[in-house]
PDB file of all heavy atoms in Angstrom:
ATOM      1  N   VAL A  95      22.917 -29.115   6.046  1.00 89.00           N
ATOM      2  CA  VAL A  95      22.577 -29.642   7.373  1.00 89.00           C
ATOM      3  C   VAL A  95      21.282 -30.457   7.343  1.00 89.00           C
ATOM      4  O   VAL A  95      20.668 -30.678   8.371  1.00 89.00           O
ATOM      5  CB  VAL A  95      22.447 -28.487   8.389  1.00 89.00           C
ATOM      6  CG1 VAL A  95      23.760 -27.737   8.533  1.00 89.00           C
ATOM      7  CG2 VAL A  95      21.336 -27.524   7.997  1.00 89.00           C
ATOM      8  N   GLU A  96      20.899 -30.922   6.151  1.00 84.00           N
ATOM      9  CA  GLU A  96      19.577 -31.533   5.997  1.00 84.00           C
ATOM     10  C   GLU A  96      19.409 -32.826   6.793  1.00 84.00           C
ATOM     11  O   GLU A  96      18.281 -33.259   7.055  1.00 84.00           O
ATOM     12  CB  GLU A  96      19.268 -31.796   4.521  1.00 84.00           C
ATOM     13  CG  GLU A  96      20.309 -32.594   3.767  1.00 84.00           C
ATOM     14  CD  GLU A  96      19.960 -34.081   3.755  1.00 84.00           C
ATOM     15  OE1 GLU A  96      18.791 -34.384   4.036  1.00 84.00           O
ATOM     16  OE2 GLU A  96      20.833 -34.899   3.458  1.00 84.00           O
ATOM     17  N   SER A  97      20.494 -33.402   7.281  1.00 84.00           N
ATOM     18  CA  SER A  97      20.381 -34.631   8.074  1.00 84.00           C
ATOM     19  C   SER A  97      19.952 -34.351   9.508  1.00 84.00           C
ATOM     20  O   SER A  97      19.550 -35.271  10.222  1.00 84.00           O
ATOM     21  CB  SER A  97      21.718 -35.374   8.085  1.00 84.00           C
ATOM     22  OG  SER A  97      22.738 -34.556   8.629  1.00 84.00           O
ATOM     23  N   SER A  98      20.020 -33.086   9.945  1.00 88.00           N
ATOM     24  CA  SER A  98      19.669 -32.731  11.325  1.00 88.00           C
ATOM     25  C   SER A  98      18.461 -31.799  11.319  1.00 88.00           C
ATOM     26  O   SER A  98      18.542 -30.671  10.831  1.00 88.00           O
ATOM     27  CB  SER A  98      20.851 -32.056  12.025  1.00 88.00           C
ATOM     28  OG  SER A  98      20.456 -31.527  13.267  1.00 88.00           O
ATOM     29  N   LEU A  99      17.353 -32.251  11.888  1.00 89.00           N
ATOM     30  CA  LEU A  99      16.143 -31.452  11.937  1.00 89.00           C
ATOM     31  C   LEU A  99      16.353 -30.174  12.747  1.00 89.00           C
ATOM     32  O   LEU A  99      15.880 -29.091  12.375  1.00 89.00           O
ATOM     33  CB  LEU A  99      14.999 -32.270  12.526  1.00 89.00           C
ATOM     34  CG  LEU A  99      13.634 -31.572  12.612  1.00 89.00           C
ATOM     35  CD1 LEU A  99      13.127 -31.199  11.225  1.00 89.00           C
ATOM     36  CD2 LEU A  99      12.623 -32.454  13.331  1.00 89.00           C
ATOM     37  N   VAL A 100      17.088 -30.275  13.852  1.00 91.00           N
ATOM     38  CA  VAL A 100      17.335 -29.112  14.705  1.00 91.00           C
ATOM     39  C   VAL A 100      18.135 -28.062  13.958  1.00 91.00           C
ATOM     40  O   VAL A 100      17.818 -26.859  14.016  1.00 91.00           O
ATOM     41  CB  VAL A 100      18.070 -29.540  15.991  1.00 91.00           C
ATOM     42  CG1 VAL A 100      18.460 -28.302  16.814  1.00 91.00           C
ATOM     43  CG2 VAL A 100      17.200 -30.470  16.817  1.00 91.00           C
ATOM     44  N   LEU A 101      19.174 -28.483  13.232  1.00 93.00           N
ATOM     45  CA  LEU A 101      20.000 -27.529  12.495  1.00 93.00           C
ATOM     46  C   LEU A 101      19.226 -26.893  11.329  1.00 93.00           C
ATOM     47  O   LEU A 101      19.414 -25.713  11.026  1.00 93.00           O
ATOM     48  CB  LEU A 101      21.262 -28.222  11.975  1.00 93.00           C
ATOM     49  CG  LEU A 101      22.266 -28.641  13.044  1.00 93.00           C
ATOM     50  CD1 LEU A 101      23.463 -29.339  12.407  1.00 93.00           C
ATOM     51  CD2 LEU A 101      22.729 -27.428  13.855  1.00 93.00           C
ATOM     52  N   VAL A 102      18.352 -27.663  10.686  1.00 93.00           N
ATOM     53  CA  VAL A 102      17.520 -27.104   9.609  1.00 93.00           C
ATOM     54  C   VAL A 102      16.625 -26.009  10.165  1.00 93.00           C
ATOM     55  O   VAL A 102      16.519 -24.909   9.599  1.00 93.00           O
ATOM     56  CB  VAL A 102      16.682 -28.209   8.939  1.00 93.00           C
ATOM     57  CG1 VAL A 102      15.622 -27.589   8.028  1.00 93.00           C
ATOM     58  CG2 VAL A 102      17.568 -29.142   8.128  1.00 93.00           C
ATOM     59  N   ASP A 103      15.985 -26.293  11.296  1.00 93.00           N
ATOM     60  CA  ASP A 103      15.104 -25.301  11.896  1.00 93.00           C
ATOM     61  C   ASP A 103      15.874 -24.066  12.345  1.00 93.00           C
ATOM     62  O   ASP A 103      15.420 -22.925  12.154  1.00 93.00           O
ATOM     63  CB  ASP A 103      14.366 -25.901  13.098  1.00 93.00           C
ATOM     64  CG  ASP A 103      13.340 -26.950  12.675  1.00 93.00           C
ATOM     65  OD1 ASP A 103      13.055 -27.035  11.462  1.00 93.00           O
ATOM     66  OD2 ASP A 103      12.824 -27.663  13.555  1.00 93.00           O
ATOM     67  N   LEU A 104      17.031 -24.278  12.944  1.00 96.00           N
ATOM     68  CA  LEU A 104      17.844 -23.152  13.409  1.00 96.00           C
ATOM     69  C   LEU A 104      18.291 -22.293  12.230  1.00 96.00           C
ATOM     70  O   LEU A 104      18.232 -21.050  12.288  1.00 96.00           O
ATOM     71  CB  LEU A 104      19.056 -23.678  14.188  1.00 96.00           C
ATOM     72  CG  LEU A 104      20.004 -22.599  14.739  1.00 96.00           C
ATOM     73  CD1 LEU A 104      19.270 -21.700  15.727  1.00 96.00           C
ATOM     74  CD2 LEU A 104      21.222 -23.252  15.410  1.00 96.00           C
ATOM     75  N   TRP A 105      18.730 -22.933  11.148  1.00 96.00           N
ATOM     76  CA  TRP A 105      19.157 -22.185   9.964  1.00 96.00           C
ATOM     77  C   TRP A 105      17.992 -21.404   9.361  1.00 96.00           C
ATOM     78  O   TRP A 105      18.144 -20.229   8.981  1.00 96.00           O
ATOM     79  CB  TRP A 105      19.748 -23.136   8.924  1.00 96.00           C
ATOM     80  CG  TRP A 105      20.101 -22.470   7.618  1.00 96.00           C
ATOM     81  CD1 TRP A 105      19.478 -22.639   6.426  1.00 96.00           C
ATOM     82  CD2 TRP A 105      21.136 -21.530   7.391  1.00 96.00           C
ATOM     83  NE1 TRP A 105      20.051 -21.868   5.455  1.00 96.00           N
ATOM     84  CE2 TRP A 105      21.085 -21.171   6.018  1.00 96.00           C
ATOM     85  CE3 TRP A 105      22.116 -20.946   8.179  1.00 96.00           C
ATOM     86  CZ2 TRP A 105      21.969 -20.259   5.437  1.00 96.00           C
ATOM     87  CZ3 TRP A 105      22.997 -20.035   7.621  1.00 96.00           C
ATOM     88  CH2 TRP A 105      22.923 -19.701   6.270  1.00 96.00           C
ATOM     89  N   LEU A 106      16.819 -22.009   9.322  1.00 96.00           N
ATOM     90  CA  LEU A 106      15.657 -21.322   8.765  1.00 96.00           C
ATOM     91  C   LEU A 106      15.287 -20.105   9.621  1.00 96.00           C
ATOM     92  O   LEU A 106      14.941 -19.045   9.077  1.00 96.00           O
ATOM     93  CB  LEU A 106      14.473 -22.286   8.673  1.00 96.00           C
ATOM     94  CG  LEU A 106      13.181 -21.695   8.077  1.00 96.00           C
ATOM     95  CD1 LEU A 106      13.422 -21.127   6.672  1.00 96.00           C
ATOM     96  CD2 LEU A 106      12.072 -22.736   8.031  1.00 96.00           C
ATOM     97  N   LEU A 107      15.380 -20.216  10.922  1.00 96.00           N
ATOM     98  CA  LEU A 107      15.070 -19.067  11.790  1.00 96.00           C
ATOM     99  C   LEU A 107      16.098 -17.951  11.608  1.00 96.00           C
ATOM    100  O   LEU A 107      15.750 -16.757  11.660  1.00 96.00           O
ATOM    101  CB  LEU A 107      15.020 -19.509  13.252  1.00 96.00           C
ATOM    102  CG  LEU A 107      13.836 -20.406  13.625  1.00 96.00           C
ATOM    103  CD1 LEU A 107      13.935 -20.873  15.071  1.00 96.00           C
ATOM    104  CD2 LEU A 107      12.509 -19.682  13.397  1.00 96.00           C
ATOM    105  N   ILE A 108      17.350 -18.310  11.375  1.00 96.00           N
ATOM    106  CA  ILE A 108      18.372 -17.289  11.080  1.00 96.00           C
ATOM    107  C   ILE A 108      18.033 -16.578   9.774  1.00 96.00           C
ATOM    108  O   ILE A 108      18.105 -15.343   9.669  1.00 96.00           O
ATOM    109  CB  ILE A 108      19.771 -17.933  11.010  1.00 96.00           C
ATOM    110  CG1 ILE A 108      20.202 -18.424  12.395  1.00 96.00           C
ATOM    111  CG2 ILE A 108      20.791 -16.938  10.459  1.00 96.00           C
ATOM    112  CD1 ILE A 108      21.487 -19.231  12.394  1.00 96.00           C
ATOM    113  N   ARG A 141      14.093 -30.183   1.444  1.00 85.00           N
ATOM    114  CA  ARG A 141      15.335 -30.781   1.950  1.00 85.00           C
ATOM    115  C   ARG A 141      16.116 -31.445   0.819  1.00 85.00           C
ATOM    116  O   ARG A 141      16.491 -32.620   0.875  1.00 85.00           O
ATOM    117  CB  ARG A 141      15.026 -31.815   3.046  1.00 85.00           C
ATOM    118  CG  ARG A 141      14.076 -31.344   4.139  1.00 85.00           C
ATOM    119  CD  ARG A 141      14.726 -30.929   5.414  1.00 85.00           C
ATOM    120  NE  ARG A 141      15.544 -31.911   6.057  1.00 85.00           N
ATOM    121  CZ  ARG A 141      15.146 -32.644   7.109  1.00 85.00           C
ATOM    122  NH1 ARG A 141      13.912 -32.541   7.592  1.00 85.00           N
ATOM    123  NH2 ARG A 141      15.980 -33.453   7.684  1.00 85.00           N
ATOM    124  N   MET A 343       6.277 -22.901  13.662  1.00 96.00           N
ATOM    125  CA  MET A 343       7.020 -24.102  13.298  1.00 96.00           C
ATOM    126  C   MET A 343       6.697 -25.248  14.249  1.00 96.00           C
ATOM    127  O   MET A 343       6.433 -26.389  13.825  1.00 96.00           O
ATOM    128  CB  MET A 343       8.520 -23.786  13.332  1.00 96.00           C
ATOM    129  CG  MET A 343       9.414 -24.821  12.703  1.00 96.00           C
ATOM    130  SD  MET A 343      11.152 -24.309  12.826  1.00 96.00           S
ATOM    131  CE  MET A 343      11.159 -22.898  11.730  1.00 96.00           C
ATOM    132  N   ARG A 347       4.213 -28.431  13.243  1.00 94.00           N
ATOM    133  CA  ARG A 347       4.716 -29.809  13.263  1.00 94.00           C
ATOM    134  C   ARG A 347       3.868 -30.708  14.159  1.00 94.00           C
ATOM    135  O   ARG A 347       3.827 -31.920  13.952  1.00 94.00           O
ATOM    136  CB  ARG A 347       6.173 -29.819  13.725  1.00 94.00           C
ATOM    137  CG  ARG A 347       7.157 -29.455  12.604  1.00 94.00           C
ATOM    138  CD  ARG A 347       8.496 -30.149  12.824  1.00 94.00           C
ATOM    139  NE  ARG A 347       9.347 -30.009  11.664  1.00 94.00           N
ATOM    140  CZ  ARG A 347      10.254 -29.059  11.502  1.00 94.00           C
ATOM    141  NH1 ARG A 347      10.402 -28.145  12.442  1.00 94.00           N
ATOM    142  NH2 ARG A 347      11.004 -29.016  10.422  1.00 94.00           N
TER     143      ARG A 347
END
Side-chain angles (χ1 to χ4, degrees):
V95 298
E96 53 94 17
S97 59
S98 171
L99 181 62
V100 174
L101 291 179
V102 168
D103 291 348
L104 180 62
W105 175 250
L106 181 57
L107 291 176
I108 292 173
R141 311 259 303 259
M343 192 180 292
R347 280 210 170 94

